[in-house]
Amino acid sequence: EVQLVQSGAEVKKPGESLKISCKGSGYSFTSYWIGWVRQMPGKGLEWMGIIYPGDSDTRYSPSFQGQVTISADKSISTAYLQWSSLKASDTAMYYCVRQGSSTSCCDYWGQGTLVTVSS
Amino acid sequence: DVVMTQSPLSLPVTLGQPASISCRSSQSLVYSDGNTYLNWFQQRPGQSPRRLIYKVSNRDSGVPDRFSGSGSGTDFTLKISRVEAEDVGVYYCMQGTHWPPAFGPGTKVDIK
């Protein structure tokens, strides 16, 4: 059974750093892209970027380029989304997704990680 | 960037009746490989989204056959043949053809 299991909810202060994770299981982790999708409170879905764990090819939506870093450790089948300096506007639910290709989104979703940034 | 629009944004429906959601893209979604990468997602209250339809009209495994997708080029439709209570939620179209991929604003479906 394909599963994407994300790390737990986080509460952080503005300016702090954060790295959240997404562990894939039940399939060949290095053969599928992993993407990240943001959902701000009460809002819609926003596609952030993807990584191909097989070769670490990473692509960002222009809206998120430079704002976050996507990475992966294929030895433990885990992808990451990180911030170096959080802002209150980063408060959102973040979902990881599996993609069969860079054009084919998103057949499996994680349960989401809620990130709250507040002073 | 490609802009996705949906209508209506709110759709009150009667149980057992059909429902239809329209999605339009600002550019043709036909990719260079001949495929059209238009997906539909359902997000039930408090849940992660799930994909219902991929490449315009292909239902994902486990998706009831009352859901169907159609369309071409820039105009697409998701239809529910007979709405059930479990269909309440927000429905998003999403294009993967052009960079960056983009979701529509969502259509909230609830029961009258």
Side-chain angles (χ1 to χ4, degrees), chain A residues 38-44 88-93 114-115:
Chain A
R38 183 175 79 174
Q39 188 167 39
M40 300 177 77
K43 303 298 184 183
S89 57
D90 293 317
T91 294
M93 183 72 82
L114 180 61
V115 174

Side-chain angles (χ1 to χ4, degrees), chain A residues 37 39 43-47 50 59-62 95 101-107 109-112, chain B residues 1 31 37 39 41 43 47-51 54 60 92 94 96-97 99-105:
Chain A
V37 175
Q39 188 167 39
K43 303 298 184 183
L45 305 172
E46 300 173 272
W47 192 92
I50 51 172
R59 306 175 190 184
Y60 296 92
S61 169
Y95 295 101
S101 69
S102 61
T103 53
S104 179
C105 177
C106 306
D107 59 353
W109 293 65
Q111 83 275 22
Chain B
D1 293 3
Y31 192 56
Y37 292 98
N39 309 293
F41 296 89
Q43 187 174 29
Q47 295 187 13
S48 299
R50 72 156 171 161
R51 196 176 70 181
Y54 63 96
D60 273 278
Y92 298 91
M94 184 258 187
T97 296
W99 194 262
F103 291 92

Side-chain angles (χ1 to χ4, degrees), chain B residues 7-111:
Chain B
S7 64
L9 298 183
S10 178
L11 182 58
V13 296
T14 301
L15 290 174
Q17 293 300 302
S20 180
I21 300 170
S22 172
C23 172
R24 288 186 173 172
S25 58
S26 59
Q27 298 178 35
S28 172
L29 298 185
V30 180
Y31 192 56
S32 54
D33 64 2
N35 289 309
T36 299
Y37 292 98
L38 186 283
N39 309 293
W40 288 97
F41 296 89
Q42 175 196 59
Q43 187 174 29
R44 291 170 170 155
Q47 295 187 13
S48 299
R50 72 156 171 161
R51 196 176 70 181
L52 300 176
I53 303 283
Y54 63 96
K55 288 193 286 186
V56 181
S57 59
N58 297 274
R59 260 191 314 274
D60 273 278
S61 176
V63 174
D65 61 7
R66 65 179 181 275
F67 290 94
S68 64
S70 63
S72 63
T74 61
D75 291 331
F76 305 92
T77 302
L78 176 71
K79 291 183 178 177
I80 310 173
S81 59
R82 293 174 306 279
V83 172
E84 297 190 6
E86 66 179 17
D87 300 334
V88 166
V90 181
Y91 291 79
Y92 298 91
C93 61
M94 184 258 187
Q95 70 86 17
T97 296
H98 299 283
W99 194 262
F103 291 92
T107 294
K108 186 174 183 179
V109 172
D110 60 13
I111 305 301

